[in-house]
Amino acid sequence: AMLDYVRRSRLHLVTGGHDAAEETPCAHCARGRHVGANARRCAQVRAYAYSSPNLSLCERLFLNAFWDGAVRRSCPTWIAPNLMTALGLLAIAVAYALIWTLSPNLAFEAPRWTYAACAALAFAYQTADGMDGKQARRTKSGSPLGEVVDHACDALSMCIYPLIVMDIFGVGHRSRDARAICTTIMMTGRAMFVVDTVSSTFTGVLPVSEFLDSQEIQLICQTLMLCVAFSGSNAFLYAPVTVPFVGATTLGRAGAVFCITTGAISRVGTFVNTVLKANKKEAPPHWPAYRKPLSIAARCALVEAFHGLCLYKAKNFAYAHATSSILFGESEARIMSIRVSDPDFPVTNWLALFIMALTTVVPEGDAFVSGMLMGAALFMLLHRGSCLAAQITGCLGMHPNIFIIRPRDA
């Protein structure tokens, strides 16, 4: 009932998109009516087909087999894949809250058990994220909505992992230099994620590096959390090492630079291929010919740069970061909507930019106004999710509650 109220709020008047308060006849089901129904959108929903990406190194070695076994042994067929995704997100959100509560300056101040708990919670998220797709195929309940929910949760987790790692490194955010480093690292990670999103939306397949991809980086981060939980930060991160062509440095710095560089090269290469295909007019059937991946990525990059500037200027950094992370999830869901529900959906949310701008003028220590802005961001994310859910479940004849499995209509 609450999500139904959120959906009917007519927020589309200021954020773009279609009216989610009105149900119109489905273009593919004579007896059905649902949100956002017209011939073009219904055809996009019905044309969706999931394409499995390549397996990364750790998935080939052990993760894929582990997830398969976990689904068979511990998941009844009545558990909806979206429920597994949501529970995984809840786990890593708890890790996020732990870091901000026990190490608010991001200076490695939390008790050591905190980092062990964060590692366990992050692994729980990764496991749920790996199992949900297998459960969807097992129960034949896969849908375009499931991919959007999964990707939006991945976007939110992408904002949490760097925060924990920066706390372990003791980067901090109080000084100007520390804030600049903090925001630069965060925006770099998010920019790479945006490139992945645009590429996967265009091609229909998530780009995966067969050597070092998100699964490997998550495992590296979790290992780092466990190491500092048992040995402390200094003993592990500041151990001296010599790197060819670089010289003397520390183990932590060398590892961070390696992961960032490898990930960036992989993402840029994938996106270049996407742009080249678009320029050669090799756009897949689900992609509207008038929309250019490079143009969408450029607009998203400007949005992320604006978020970075706002985070640098914000006096209540923790609240501003939480607000920005939620808005990032909403933004990624917008991009994915082009592929799964509405080829003409606008990717820029001007209200979101206004909310982010307001975080820069909130006085330090004002938790009430900061909380209101964070609540507004969450309202927008829930609105986008509930609109997508109402449209896709209505068009495919699925249960309106995305956490319940019901066979779809033929």
Side-chain angles (χ1 to χ4, degrees):
M2 182 190 74
L3 287 181
D4 190 57
Y5 167 77
V6 171
R7 175 176 63 81
R8 295 176 181 276
S9 63
R10 297 188 181 275
L11 199 60
H12 72 285
L13 296 174
V14 286
T15 62
H18 50 265
D19 185 0
E22 181 182 356
E23 294 185 353
T24 51
C26 179
H28 290 272
C29 183
R31 68 181 184 278
R33 297 172 64 88
H34 62 83
V35 169
N38 68 21
R40 187 166 167 83
R41 297 189 198 113
C42 291
Q44 191 79 337
V45 172
R46 295 272 175 162
Y48 168 85
Y50 176 76
S51 298
S52 299
N54 295 328
L55 298 180
S56 65
L57 177 63
C58 288
E59 286 176 315
R60 294 195 304 272
L61 291 177
F62 64 92
L63 282 177
N64 197 53
F66 170 68
W67 295 332
D68 274 329
V71 167
R72 288 195 305 269
R73 289 191 299 268
S74 61
C75 291
T77 54
W78 55 264
I79 294 182
N82 290 325
L83 179 60
M84 298 169 65
T85 309
L87 292 175
L89 179 64
L90 178 62
I92 201 166
V94 171
Y96 182 73
L98 280 174
I99 290 296
W100 275 126
T101 302
L102 300 176
S103 187
N105 296 314
L106 299 184
F108 196 62
E109 302 165 321
R112 289 190 182 181
W113 64 263
T114 306
Y115 302 98
C118 287
L121 291 165
F123 184 71
Y125 166 76
Q126 185 180 13
T127 301
D129 186 46
M131 291 169 58
D132 56 7
K134 298 182 182 300
Q135 178 74 346
R137 290 185 285 277
R138 179 189 180 205
T139 58
K140 296 181 173 58
S141 58
S143 74
L145 182 63
E147 187 166 353
V148 177
V149 170
D150 185 85
H151 198 76
C153 290
D154 287 343
L156 293 171
S157 73
M158 176 60 236
C159 299
I160 297 173
Y161 269 107
L163 187 86
I164 300 174
V165 172
M166 282 185 290
D167 174 66
I168 290 173
F169 276 87
V171 173
H173 65 84
R174 294 294 182 184
S175 69
R176 290 181 120 186
D177 289 345
R179 182 70 66 88
I181 293 172
C182 202
T183 53
T184 299
I185 293 174
M186 288 178 180
M187 294 305 112
T188 300
R190 282 168 50 161
M192 288 192 287
F193 194 91
V194 166
V195 166
D196 265 4
T197 303
V198 176
S199 295
S200 65
T201 302
F202 178 81
T203 63
V205 182
L206 183 68
V208 172
S209 169
E210 294 186 4
F211 171 60
L212 181 69
D213 205 77
S214 61
Q215 302 298 341
E216 287 72 30
I217 292 175
Q218 288 184 77
L219 290 174
I220 290 170
C221 291
Q222 293 158 22
T223 303
L224 177 63
M225 295 173 204
L226 290 174
C227 287
V228 298
F230 292 104
S231 66
S233 176
N234 291 337
F236 179 73
L237 296 179
Y238 299 104
V241 296
T242 301
V243 179
F245 307 108
V246 176
T249 183
T250 62
L251 181 61
R253 180 174 295 180
V257 170
F258 173 76
C259 290
I260 292 172
T261 304
T262 305
I265 292 173
S266 172
R267 267 51 189 174
V268 170
T270 299
F271 187 67
V272 168
N273 289 333
T274 299
V275 172
L276 290 176
K277 286 183 179 180
N279 290 338
K280 293 178 182 177
K281 298 183 179 180
E282 297 177 8
H286 68 266
W287 184 269
Y290 75 92
R291 306 195 84 159
K292 304 300 181 185
L294 183 59
S295 173
I296 292 176
R299 295 181 71 173
C300 292
L302 289 175
V303 169
E304 292 310 306
F306 180 76
H307 274 247
L309 179 62
C310 292
L311 285 173
Y312 179 76
K313 295 288 187 180
K315 297 179 177 64
N316 287 341
F317 185 70
Y319 283 101
H321 181 267
T323 302
S324 178
S325 300
I326 294 169
L327 293 176
F328 183 63
E330 196 268 351
S331 174
E332 294 300 288
R334 283 175 166 267
I335 300 173
M336 291 291 290
S337 295
I338 297 173
R339 177 189 172 199
V340 303
S341 66
D342 186 351
D344 306 309
F345 199 82
V347 296
T348 304
N349 184 345
W350 297 104
L351 180 60
L353 296 178
F354 178 68
I355 290 173
M356 199 61 214
L358 290 179
T359 63
T360 65
V361 298
V362 179
E364 185 173 3
D366 192 338
F368 177 76
V369 175
S370 294
M372 291 289 289
L373 293 176
M374 189 168 67
L378 183 59
F379 188 90
M380 273 198 294
L381 177 62
L382 292 175
H383 178 265
R384 179 86 295 270
S386 60
C387 292
L388 264 175
Q391 179 189 355
I392 294 174
T393 58
C395 190
L396 297 180
M398 301 169 66
H399 198 287
N401 185 335
I402 67 171
F403 302 122
I404 296 176
I405 296 176
R406 182 180 74 188
R408 66 181 66 179
D409 294 343

